[in-house]
Amino acid sequence: MTESTAYPHRSAAQTETQSEVKTTGAKAVLTGHELCRSFGTGALQIHALDGVSLHIPAGQLTVVRGPSGSGKTTLLNLLGGLDRPTSGQVILDDGRVLSELPEKDVLAVRRERIGYVFQSFGLVPVLSAEENIEVPLRLQRTPAGERAERVKEVLELVGLSTHAKQRPYELSGGQQQRVGLARALVSRPDILIADEPTGQLDSETAATIMDLLVAVTHSQGTATVVSTHDPILMGRADQVVVLHDGQRTPGDSS
């Protein structure tokens, strides 16, 4: 049975992507195919991404690097369903094209399958660490008992069990980012997206966050994609995607 016969609903791009994944021996949980994203019109149009393709395998850390304005955040927003491409496709491992789904279905995918870690932490100031972590589970209407157990589990994972009741202003920058990471992981996502997660941290604290990202990726089989300028994190990546002026450049390691 051919790919096109087995998956008649897939486009040629999807079939090509699945073949590529089989060749490399890695399962792509998320794939970008010829992604383009433009802003503005006419002479003022800006091409933030121009034909970028990549696959994000399970259990691997993918690092996206490049100078400011190269398209890193735009790429992560497209992969995470926070934005839609002008052209091209974001494809899930179940064959659905994320970038073409109705908004309610995109919201469901984001809620159930994708965890986000932001450079600015993104914590709710009036909530404690455990309450911030609990937010995604409340959105999923997870029963109270299971919520408590899973929040406890990820607090232990990021080393913040003794800080559960503290609010963000009572925590250091590194502790706040660990709360952000715990919040991203509490839903047990199979895709983790982090945009410059160590950008506001000192080198020692950043190293701790990097260790957590690498450990979670490999131990839990998460498909993790991180944008960063940090050469240490790049050195620990399973694949590195290099962007320049919205395009992939020769010399990356994927």
Side-chain angles (χ1 to χ4, degrees):
M1 181 180 295
T2 66
E3 286 283 345
S4 58
T5 304
Y7 301 101
H9 60 287
R10 292 184 179 177
S11 66
Q14 289 168 280
T15 301
E16 175 187 344
T17 300
Q18 293 298 321
S19 298
E20 176 187 359
V21 174
K22 286 185 177 182
T23 300
T24 62
K27 174 189 176 185
V29 177
L30 191 66
T31 297
H33 181 80
E34 292 294 325
L35 293 173
C36 297
R37 183 66 171 100
S38 300
F39 299 93
T41 58
L44 299 177
Q45 190 173 57
I46 297 172
H47 300 288
L49 278 185
D50 185 11
V52 173
S53 296
L54 76 167
H55 71 270
I56 310 299
Q60 293 192 20
L61 174 64
T62 298
V63 164
V64 180
R65 73 174 182 90
S68 296
S70 61
K72 299 189 300 298
T73 296
T74 300
L75 176 59
L76 264 60
N77 286 344
L78 296 182
L79 293 174
L82 297 173
D83 191 14
R84 295 180 186 261
T86 305
S87 63
Q89 296 177 322
V90 177
I91 307 164
L92 296 166
D93 54 356
D94 60 11
R96 290 183 296 167
V97 181
L98 177 64
S99 51
E100 297 174 4
L101 292 176
E103 189 60 29
K104 65 179 181 62
D105 293 338
V106 174
L107 289 172
V109 170
R110 294 205 317 243
R111 185 169 58 243
E112 297 164 7
R113 298 198 60 186
I114 305 175
Y116 302 90
V117 182
F118 303 100
Q119 181 178 351
S120 60
F121 313 144
L123 304 180
V124 181
V126 298
L127 299 182
S128 66
E130 64 181 2
E131 288 169 339
N132 267 284
I133 295 168
E134 191 180 39
V135 168
L137 298 181
R138 285 187 174 275
L139 292 174
Q140 293 179 2
R141 300 184 178 180
T142 304
E146 184 179 351
R147 287 204 310 267
E149 187 62 32
R150 286 166 68 172
V151 169
K152 178 182 177 182
E153 177 185 295
V154 293
L155 277 168
E156 291 175 354
L157 178 66
V158 301
L160 289 177
S161 295
T162 59
H163 299 276
K165 304 297 183 182
Q166 291 179 279
R167 289 179 170 79
Y169 68 87
E170 298 174 304
L171 301 171
S172 68
Q175 289 169 333
Q176 289 183 59
Q177 189 58 293
R178 280 190 276 167
V179 172
L181 179 57
R183 181 184 56 193
L185 295 174
V186 76
S187 298
R188 298 173 181 166
D190 47 17
I191 302 162
L192 181 64
I193 293 178
D195 191 6
E196 295 282 0
T198 61
Q200 295 193 34
L201 306 177
D202 62 79
S203 58
E204 183 176 350
T205 305
T208 301
I209 298 298
M210 286 185 252
D211 288 342
L212 282 169
L213 284 169
V214 173
V216 166
T217 299
H218 294 158
S219 67
Q220 300 189 16
T222 309
T224 302
V225 54
V226 179
S227 69
T228 187
H229 290 97
D230 195 315
I232 298 176
L233 188 54
M234 293 176 206
R236 302 184 68 177
D238 296 292
Q239 67 169 332
V240 178
V241 174
V242 183
L243 296 182
H244 185 75
D245 291 338
Q247 298 180 327
R248 287 189 67 163
T249 65
D252 62 18
S253 63
S254 58

